[in-house]
Amino acid sequence: MKAGVWTSGFAVMAALLLGACSHGMVRRISEPSAQIQQLTVRADGRWAVELRIENFSSIPMQFDSVDLALNVGGNEAGRVTAQPSMSIGPESADVVTTIFAPQAAGKLAVADALAAGRSISYTLIGTVAATPDEAHQRSFEVKHSSQLSPAPGLPGVLR
C-alpha cells in the first residue's frame, strides 16, 4: 500500500513540476500564405481579386503589404498589390480585395476559360510583409499554385 501512495505522489509531483516549467503559449512565427479566393472580371475589363491571407503563426500578425506576380493559365497577368493594414489572429485568415488591369495574355486566358466553362490554373509568387505582435516587420516569400473554376450562376466569376 505504501508503494502505491509513493507512486501516485511522485506522479502528482512530476505533473506539478512540468506545469511550472511552462511559461504560457509558445510564440511560433510561421510563413503566411496567400491564395485567390475569387477573381471577378469587371465590366471595365479590370479584375477584382479577393486574396485570402492566412496567418499560420501562433500569435497575431499585422499584414502591411502584399506584392505578388499573378500567372494564369501559363500567362503573365500582372501584379496583385495591396496594403491591407489588417491584423489577423493566430492560425486564422482574412480576405483583402484588390483591383487591377490585367495584361493582355492573362486577360485572354481568363476570358477563354470563362467562355468554355472550364477551370484555369494560377500561380502567385512574391512577398507578404507582416509584423508579428510586438516585433519588427518581416518580409515573407510566398508561392502558391492552384486552380480557379467558373462560379455557377455568376458570370465573369472564378473561384
Side-chain angles (χ1 to χ4, degrees), residues 70-145:
L70 173 58
N71 183 297
V72 289
N75 301 284
E76 287 185 34
R79 299 198 77 77
V80 177
T81 60
Q83 285 72 39
S85 297
M86 73 170 114
S87 180
I88 300 177
E91 300 173 4
S92 297
D94 208 339
V95 177
V96 63
T97 301
T98 183
I99 297 171
F100 73 99
Q103 295 177 7
K107 193 178 212 178
L108 290 172
V110 165
D112 184 50
L114 285 167
R118 63 175 169 76
S119 298
I120 189 166
S121 63
Y122 79 90
T123 303
L124 291 169
I125 300 174
T127 58
V128 172
T131 305
D133 189 31
E134 301 176 14
H136 298 304
Q137 185 182 67
R138 293 178 53 182
S139 183
F140 297 93
E141 297 294 321
V142 172
K143 181 174 184 182
H144 180 83
S145 295

Side-chain angles (χ1 to χ4, degrees), residues 7-152:
T7 304
S8 41
F10 179 77
V12 169
M13 183 62 108
L16 288 172
L17 284 173
L18 284 174
C21 290
S22 99
H23 296 291
M25 184 178 79
V26 175
R27 294 176 51 88
R28 177 184 40 81
I29 298 174
S30 301
E31 290 192 10
S33 171
Q35 61 187 320
I36 295 176
Q37 183 165 301
Q38 181 171 297
L39 186 151
T40 303
V41 178
R42 296 168 35 129
D44 64 4
R46 295 184 302 161
W47 293 353
V49 175
E50 292 182 21
L51 193 65
R52 178 181 172 87
I53 301 171
E54 295 179 284
N55 176 15
F56 295 113
S57 300
S58 64
I59 61 172
M61 300 233 299
Q62 175 73 24
F63 286 84
D64 304 309
S65 67
V66 175
D67 184 14
L68 303 166
L70 173 58
N71 183 297
V72 289
N75 301 284
E76 287 185 34
R79 299 198 77 77
V80 177
T81 60
Q83 285 72 39
S85 297
M86 73 170 114
S87 180
I88 300 177
E91 300 173 4
S92 297
D94 208 339
V95 177
V96 63
T97 301
T98 183
I99 297 171
F100 73 99
Q103 295 177 7
K107 193 178 212 178
L108 290 172
V110 165
D112 184 50
L114 285 167
R118 63 175 169 76
S119 298
I120 189 166
S121 63
Y122 79 90
T123 303
L124 291 169
I125 300 174
T127 58
V128 172
T131 305
D133 189 31
E134 301 176 14
H136 298 304
Q137 185 182 67
R138 293 178 53 182
S139 183
F140 297 93
E141 297 294 321
V142 172
K143 181 174 184 182
H144 180 83
S145 295
S146 190
Q147 298 270 327
L148 293 168
S149 300

